[in-house]
Amino acid sequence: MNILILGNSQDAHALAMQQALTKAGARADYFDTCSFPTQLKISWEPKTQAGSLILPQGGKLEIGEIHSVFWRSFSGVYVPSLNNSQQQDIAINDSMSTLRSFMQACRGRWVNSWQAYQLHKEKPLQLSMVNNIGVSIPQTLVSNDPEQIIYFTDSLDKAIFKPVYGGTYTKLVTAEHL
């Protein structure tokens, strides 16, 4: 059974997952996207849906042989610096498009899909969706209107704030923040 771990061996969670899968008898390889297009090779034919990965360590996987993919982390692509900025942009965009197409074409079972990853970056929409299915969420305001923010925080005993997109820890709102 071929399982890919979208992440790398430097990530403790990805490493633990690979060790557990290997111990259970599965073939588990890292699908480290930042090694594409320089070390990781992707081939895919849209008409036939045939494709393959050649991993940096040399192993080859046909797209149809990939049983499942565990999405731990996504590193984007790595395109070495080019002298021409237009060529650099084209190389990055082409690499991302190829990678994204391959990822979405892979019919193996995904634990976290491309769509789930995209939704992960849209926290307010996530909150709305879970609220709509009956999960209790805290009072929440997403705003760049200072008056609305002050009105909202004044209506609560305590309020926290954090980036909508993520990237840092939650903090308690203080008078200095307001």
Side-chain angles (χ1 to χ4, degrees), residues 132-164:
N132 289 340
I133 62 170
V135 175
S136 177
I137 66 168
Q139 288 180 284
T140 304
L141 172 69
V142 179
S143 178
N144 68 339
D145 181 338
E147 290 178 18
Q148 287 291 317
I149 295 167
I150 290 169
Y151 178 79
F152 180 78
T153 57
D154 284 349
S155 72
L156 303 169
D157 291 332
K158 290 182 182 178
I160 61 168
F161 72 96
K162 63 182 183 176
V164 175

Side-chain angles (χ1 to χ4, degrees), residues 24-57:
R27 175 182 171 186
D29 293 295
Y30 294 110
F31 183 29
D32 188 352
T33 62
C34 71
S35 63
F36 181 73
T38 58
Q39 299 169 337
L40 174 71
K41 294 181 178 84
I42 296 175
S43 297
W44 185 62
E45 297 178 40
K47 187 173 184 175
T48 64
Q49 300 286 310
S52 62
L53 287 176
I54 298 179
L55 302 167
Q57 307 85 340

